[in-house]
Amino acid sequence: MSDVLPSEEGGLPWLDASGPSADLVVSTRVRLARNLAGVPFTGRNSEADREGVVAQVAAAAADAPALSESALHRLDGLSLAGRIWLQERQLASRELSAPDSSGEPRRGAALLIGRSFGVLLNEEDHLRVQGLSSGFALDEAFALAERVDDDLGARLSFAFHPEFGYLTACPTNVGTGLRASVLIHLPGLVFTREIGKVLQGLAQVGLTYRGLYGEGSEVLGHLFQLSNQTTLGKSEAELLDHLGRLVRQVLDCERQARDVLRREAMPMVEDRVWRAWGLVRHARAMTFEELVELWSAVRLGVGLELLRGVSLATLNHVLVQAQRAHLAHANGIGLDDEALAVHRATLVRRLLADEGRRP
């Protein structure tokens, strides 16, 4: 297998910290689940069916203006390191990259990548169209996904029912097929021990949370992916409005929690922030889990204006480039090489070398 991967900046505009509330929200993603009419759904389809999906979508993409600059990547032709590299950029999901019962990548697993969008092929559904935006930008992310969906829908026949809407492999996605998520940094709520109450409240009104890598992943660095649970019975506008209102409430809660930290625990917070800043700039070896915890404290320090001249965009890039597949790819080593911890610390020192010194 040969890893022909996107360019260094491919699919990463969502890291530039240019969007609304970028101090608290890293990114926003909107996904639209679609299936081709007349083709068996995942779980019942054959290898030939999946290859047919790739061929139909590739042909439609070649004729679609919204996908004119996209590139097709076959995950079933990539190594494990290459597939994880795409996961680390939030471009491919764990489900799409996972091996089948033979231990090999699922035949037909593929990915169309544009600058700020992607189309996952033969994951749980035939297509998962996703738009990615920086900060808290639901409308922008939806517009990116909708444009691609419209162009493909004009050239492909999607499975659709006049009463139920778009038909999907999982009943919770039937209807609009829309799943929106916001990757949000909530250290204030964690430190003030209010996070459990907030998450419980979100579950009661139809939202769920996951970790950095989506479904099935643990929460690291106080980063939570908040998303809607169901799509049936509501329009796209209603789903986005519902999620948007709830996320804004969470943002208000986080800002209030940070005010509490300023008033009641500033010495503790300052100590945590400055210790983390010293370690990330001088450590010689770090695990990714250790780095993410330090990263979280540094990002909190930037939000509280304890650390000045430190770019949120640089911190966001640190979060991606210090993951194991990126380090392995950049240094020509294996995913489990013991030298990864050293390379990670070296990379972080280099990326942060000029931070904190700007006037």
Side-chain angles (χ1 to χ4, degrees), residues 2 8 11 56 190 229 255 316 319 331:
S2 63
E8 188 61 28
Q56 286 192 57
V190 173
Q229 287 185 295
R255 291 191 174 101
N316 291 347
L319 187 65
N331 294 282

Side-chain angles (χ1 to χ4, degrees), residues 12-13 17 30-31 63 124 127 192 272 300 313 318 355:
L12 291 184
V30 172
R31 272 188 188 167
D63 186 48
E124 183 177 64
L127 292 83
T192 57
R272 184 184 292 265
L300 175 62
V318 165
E355 298 295 306

Side-chain angles (χ1 to χ4, degrees), residues 23-320:
D23 58 326
L24 301 183
V25 179
V26 177
S27 65
T28 301
R29 175 171 54 201
V30 172
R31 272 188 188 167
L32 301 172
R34 301 289 185 259
N35 288 279
L36 299 183
V39 180
F41 286 2
T42 300
R44 287 183 168 272
N45 58 18
S46 65
E47 183 176 306
D49 292 327
R50 295 193 294 273
E51 288 292 352
V53 169
V54 175
Q56 286 192 57
V57 174
D63 186 48
L67 290 93
S68 61
E69 297 182 0
S70 64
L72 179 67
H73 296 269
R74 294 288 301 243
L75 273 73
D76 52 13
L78 294 179
S79 67
L80 175 61
R83 303 197 303 276
I84 294 176
W85 191 92
L86 291 168
Q87 288 179 39
E88 292 173 354
R89 293 190 168 217
Q90 305 289 313
L91 298 175
S93 64
R94 284 185 167 186
E95 293 78 11
L96 186 67
S97 304
D100 60 18
S101 56
S102 69
E104 296 297 323
R106 182 190 309 156
R107 189 67 183 169
L111 184 64
L112 273 169
I113 300 177
R115 187 173 185 276
S116 298
F117 69 85
V119 183
L120 289 69
L121 304 181
N122 291 315
E123 194 219 38
E124 183 177 64
D125 295 288
H126 297 156
L127 292 83
R128 288 281 179 92
V129 180
Q130 67 176 21
L132 284 162
S133 294
S134 170
F136 181 36
L138 284 167
D139 290 340
E140 179 183 326
F142 175 64
L144 288 166
E146 185 180 39
R147 180 169 175 244
V148 174
D149 179 53
D150 287 346
D151 267 13
L152 289 175
R155 294 160 177 82
L156 298 169
S157 179
F158 291 144
F160 185 86
H161 188 279
E163 181 180 357
F164 300 118
Y166 290 102
L167 302 180
T168 57
C170 179
T172 59
N173 290 324
V174 169
T176 62
L178 184 149
R179 180 66 62 92
S181 63
V182 176
L183 183 60
I184 187 170
H185 186 222
L186 302 176
L189 288 170
V190 173
F191 292 151
T192 57
R193 300 182 181 179
E194 294 292 318
I195 190 66
K197 185 189 305 181
V198 170
L199 295 177
Q200 184 178 15
L202 292 176
Q204 292 173 351
V205 290
L207 261 64
T208 187
Y209 78 91
R210 298 178 172 88
L212 178 61
Y213 301 110
E215 191 166 0
S217 64
E218 63 179 319
V219 173
L220 296 172
H222 312 130
L223 284 166
F224 297 80
Q225 279 197 37
L226 307 182
S227 66
N228 61 300
Q229 287 185 295
T230 58
T231 71
L232 186 62
K234 293 184 178 180
S235 68
E236 290 91 343
E238 289 172 328
L239 290 167
L240 293 173
D241 179 69
H242 179 65
L243 177 61
R245 284 188 289 107
L246 294 174
V247 170
R248 280 188 285 272
Q249 291 177 22
V250 174
L251 293 177
D252 288 342
C253 290
E254 173 64 18
R255 291 191 174 101
Q256 291 169 15
R258 294 187 183 197
D259 287 340
V260 170
L261 293 176
R262 285 190 183 95
R263 292 195 308 269
E264 302 179 9
M266 203 56 177
M268 179 272 291
V269 173
E270 288 180 329
D271 182 66
R272 184 184 292 265
V273 168
W274 287 108
R275 283 175 182 268
W277 181 239
L279 281 170
V280 295
R281 294 191 66 209
H282 298 288
R284 263 41 190 178
M286 281 187 289
T287 65
F288 181 69
E289 290 73 18
E290 179 184 11
L291 170 62
V292 176
E293 294 306 314
L294 297 173
W295 175 93
S296 177
V298 169
R299 206 175 198 279
L300 175 62
V302 174
L304 295 176
E305 298 185 338
L306 294 172
L307 290 171
R308 298 179 183 273
V310 180
S311 163
L312 288 173
T314 299
L315 292 179
N316 291 347
H317 277 272
V318 165
L319 187 65
V320 169

